[in-house]
Every structure is written in structure tokens, then in C-alpha cells.
Amino acid sequence: MRLTPLQLFVAFSRISLTAFGQLIPIARHALVVRLQWFTDAEFAEHLAIGQMLPGPNMVNVSAALGDRHAGWLGAAAAVSGMILPPTLVAIAIASTLYAFAQDPRVAGALSGMAAAACGLVLATALKLARGSIKRIVGVAIMLAIFVAVAILRLPLGVVLLVALPLTLWAHGALRKLT
Amino acid sequence: MNLALEIAGVAFVLSMLAVGGAIAIVPELFRIAVENRAWLSAAEFNELFAISQAAPGPSVMILALVGWKVAGPLAGAMAISAFVVPSSVIAVLTFRKLKRSFSPARAKAVQMALGPISCALVASSGVLIARNLEGGILAWGIGAGAALVAALTRAHPLLPLAAGAAVGAALL
């Protein structure tokens, strides 16, 4: 079965518009269970490569899937579905809120929302730590990057130049694996 | 227009650095947009971050919002395009070449290796946002409440965001 660019755009728009915070599980459910465009193993493999490549993970996966079905046009349709609708929603929310920014209640609401968003992100970090850091060397690398970025405020490029090869090596991702 | 191009340039560089999740670029975007170039105040950055968390989709909307706030809608469109188009082209070309050379074992090892990077950068995002929260002890309370709800329950993320906005509107 070959998907058309329109099918790809609609499917990825639906995924992106229904995902709040947890994009990967929602995309996995849509692509593996509901649409069956990927097997579970294919999805995991694409996601791992998508994570290693520059750019947003799931957008990379959507580009690859779109290309597989309909070439560059398919990739463009899938990526547009991932990005365009949520961007319009984000700009619409921001325009509405800033239109009333003189109102002290709106200013207060934005501050309150920022505080909540901060809490959400810290909870996400905790979940990531629990789910994906299994070894003591992972904890050490995590702490070193945290200190470099959050406290020393080093440029991300410099940090990654050191951290990326180090963590790939320390987790055995550079060895020959079967 | 120059400013829009400059923002798009930053978005492109950030995209090339975004390994292990797009939210990981938030600390670097903060460093460039607030600390180095002073495009935005820390409070404005926090507001845009909050709105991006309330929006659906991949966690890259902060780029569109920063572009939009600093230099208008066109700059927003340019920033998000610069963030996703070149990286998507790289993804397509890489996946075409790779085909099936990535075994499940290596996929797992790569994911385990990237875990600490994503985690550290997401935690850094939270700490940078926390440092510049407006509203003192009440804001910290809202943040702690949202963190607890998100960590301990399966509540939809819009719920703590809406609650934070409501408390902020009433009390901040």
C-alpha cells in the first residue's frame, strides 16, 4: 500500500493536534496500532535514528515515512502535518493572550501558566530519568551535562561535542552489535 | 527583515544541535535570545514557553512563538521552517541510505545513550524557567503543584496549565 501526500498530511495533522506533551506515545499508538503503517520494531528503529539525527525526533520519523510512501512530496506533506496545524494553534493562543496583555488578570494568568509549565517540565525530566537512565554512568553523564548547561551556561554545541561521543561510547552504542 | 533572518539562522543552528528531543534546545534558545541578544526579557521567554506547552504537537512551537513575538508572523514562520526543513531533508537522505542497517540492539543502545542528554537538557530548561518566575512564593507553589500532579497522576497536561493560569489570574 502506498499512501498519498494528502493521507500523510491528514494523519500527521491528527497526531500533532491531539498530542499534548506526550507526542511519542500518541504517534506510536496512531502509527503502529490504529493505522498499522509501522510495526512496533520499525517504529522503535525509526525513532532511535530520528533521535540521533538533528531536528525534532518525531518530525524526522514523519519525514522518513512520508518519503517512503510518496517521495519528497510525501515527506513535505507529513512534516507539514506535524508542524503547520500546531504552529497556527500556538500563534492563535499567543495572539489572543497578548491582545489582552494590559489586563492585569491576563498578565497574572501568563505568570501562573509559566509556573505550571515549569513544574511540568521538571516532572518530565524526572520521568525521563526514571525511564531511560539505568546505569550509574548515565547518571554521571546526566549530572555533568546539567551542570555545564544550567549552571555554567556553556554553549550547547560545545557541550554536545564532548557529551555525545562520550555517552554513545559509555553505553556501548559504538560497538559492533548484532 | 534582518532580524527575522537572524532568528531563522539561530533556529537552523539550534535544529542541528537538537539531538534527543526538541525541548532540549530550550536552554540554548534562552541563552541566545535572552542572555546574549536580548531579543526578549526572561519573563517574556517564560510566557512564550508556557504558551508553547499549552499548544499541541512537537515541542518546537517555542521557536515559532519567539520569532513571532520578536519580529512578527513572517519571522515566526521563518524560524519554525528553519528549524524543521533542513533537518527533515537530512532525515530523508539518511533514512534512504540506512535502510535496514540499524539493528534493534543498536537502536536500544542509542536510545539509552541519548537518555542522559535529553534528561539533563529538559531539567536545565525547567531550572532556567524556574529562576525567572514572576510571582514569588505563589508561583513556586503553582510550579510545585503542577510538578506533583504531572509526576503522580495521569492528568492531561492542559489541566495543570489551566489551573496555573486560573490561580495566576486571580492572585498574581
Side-chain angles (χ1 to χ4, degrees), chain A residues 28-93:
Chain A
R28 185 198 308 270
H29 186 266
L31 296 171
V32 176
V33 180
R34 183 161 55 82
L35 299 164
Q36 305 190 336
W37 291 351
F38 273 133
T39 65
D40 215 10
E42 277 176 328
F43 184 84
E45 184 198 26
H46 276 74
L47 185 62
I49 299 169
Q51 281 174 328
M52 223 172 65
L53 291 171
N57 307 333
M58 271 314 300
V59 177
N60 287 338
V61 174
S62 70
L65 184 78
D67 176 59
R68 198 167 81 185
H69 285 279
W72 286 110
L73 196 60
V79 170
S80 304
M82 282 293 271
I83 294 298
L84 197 58
T87 303
L88 293 177
V89 172
I91 301 282
I93 299 174

